[in-house]
Amino acid sequence: MKIWGISDTHFSGSRENGMVVHGPIWLEHKEQIVKHWQKTVNRDDIVLICGDITWSTTLKQAMQDIQTLSGLPGSTKIIVRGNHDHWWGDYNELCRTVPENVMPLSANAVNIDGHVFCGTMGWLSLNDPCSDSLDSNFFHKEMDRLEKSLKLATEMDPKHGIHLLMHFPPFTTGGIHTPFLDVIAEYPVTTCTFGHSHFPEEWENIPQGNINGTIFRLTSTDFLKHKPVLIWEG
Ligand SMILES: [Fe+2]
């Protein structure tokens, strides 16, 4: 079994792909994601999708794109909310509505054969130069949710490791460490997968790889050229 990551798919449901205004990398990006995913991911693998899944605004609209993810290879697709996932409403309703092989996480954790997956959205850190006073409430709420999900994960007998999903990177846009990173460092986290970042100048700064025993991976689909990236291999 392998664990793959890809985030910020920014699908458009049945509407036109509005992402093309952000550059040629977004031309037919859904088709490219599907093509690469089918080539890369096996039936028994798990895929982590770290938010900004679809531009849909209601769960009903979003189901078309969620069904696309559900139908792709992989035994389980684990999702967390991104800041553009306005369709993500009541968590219990969401869990009841999505197909069985799509598993939403919201400041909680799930154990799949000894691998514990946990996650939350995260937020722009208050030490980020782009943050302002409006970010304070979201930041503190997401700090609490991160702590809660990691605490739950450690209590779930993570024999083969803890895999954390966040939408926002636990680094500033300049790649400096944040209080989110301090929380992560308090727990035995094997991998931390995140997205949100769409600017090449940020990609250069965001640390990736092994930091204090945790493997960090940026998985924004444009950064990955729409190819799922390997997060863990047993
Ligand atoms: Fe995004």
Side-chain angles (χ1 to χ4, degrees), residues 8 10 52 83-84 167 196-198:
D8 296 75
H10 285 288
D52 282 5
N83 56 313
H84 291 298
H167 175 61
H196 184 68
S197 178
H198 293 294

Side-chain angles (χ1 to χ4, degrees), residues 109 116 149-158 162 186-188:
V116 175
S149 56
L150 286 169
K151 197 165 181 296
L152 279 170
T154 49
E155 291 166 359
M156 290 180 93
D157 190 22
I162 293 175
E186 288 170 20
Y187 293 86

Side-chain angles (χ1 to χ4, degrees), residues 58 67 91 107 144 152 157 166 168 172 195 202 206 214 217:
T58 65
Q67 291 287 3
Y91 179 67
D144 289 346
L152 279 170
D157 190 22
M166 296 179 73
F168 283 80
T172 66
E202 290 178 11
I206 290 176
T214 301
R217 281 280 174 262

Side-chain angles (χ1 to χ4, degrees), residues 106-216:
S106 179
N108 54 356
V110 61
N111 186 331
I112 302 178
D113 300 330
H115 292 276
V116 175
F117 299 87
C118 65
T120 187
M121 178 163 59
W123 199 257
L124 199 60
S125 179
L126 297 184
N127 67 327
D128 194 300
C130 298
S131 77
D132 60 33
S133 58
L134 294 175
D135 292 308
S136 182
N137 280 350
F138 290 106
F139 167 80
H140 290 294
K141 186 177 164 197
E142 284 297 323
M143 282 285 285
D144 289 346
R145 286 167 58 86
L146 175 62
E147 182 102 50
K148 184 183 162 204
S149 56
L150 286 169
K151 197 165 181 296
L152 279 170
T154 49
E155 291 166 359
M156 290 180 93
D157 190 22
K159 264 195 212 88
H160 302 308
I162 293 175
H163 303 280
L164 170 66
L165 291 79
M166 296 179 73
H167 175 61
F168 283 80
F171 307 99
T172 66
T173 43
I176 305 298
H177 98 270
T178 67
F180 290 113
L181 202 61
D182 293 336
V183 173
I184 294 167
E186 288 170 20
Y187 293 86
V189 180
T190 310
T191 66
C192 173
T193 305
F194 54 87
H196 184 68
S197 178
H198 293 294
F199 297 105
E201 56 273 28
E202 290 178 11
W203 298 343
E204 285 170 21
N205 294 327
I206 290 176
Q208 293 198 68
N210 191 331
I211 301 172
N212 301 326
T214 301
I215 305 291
F216 290 83

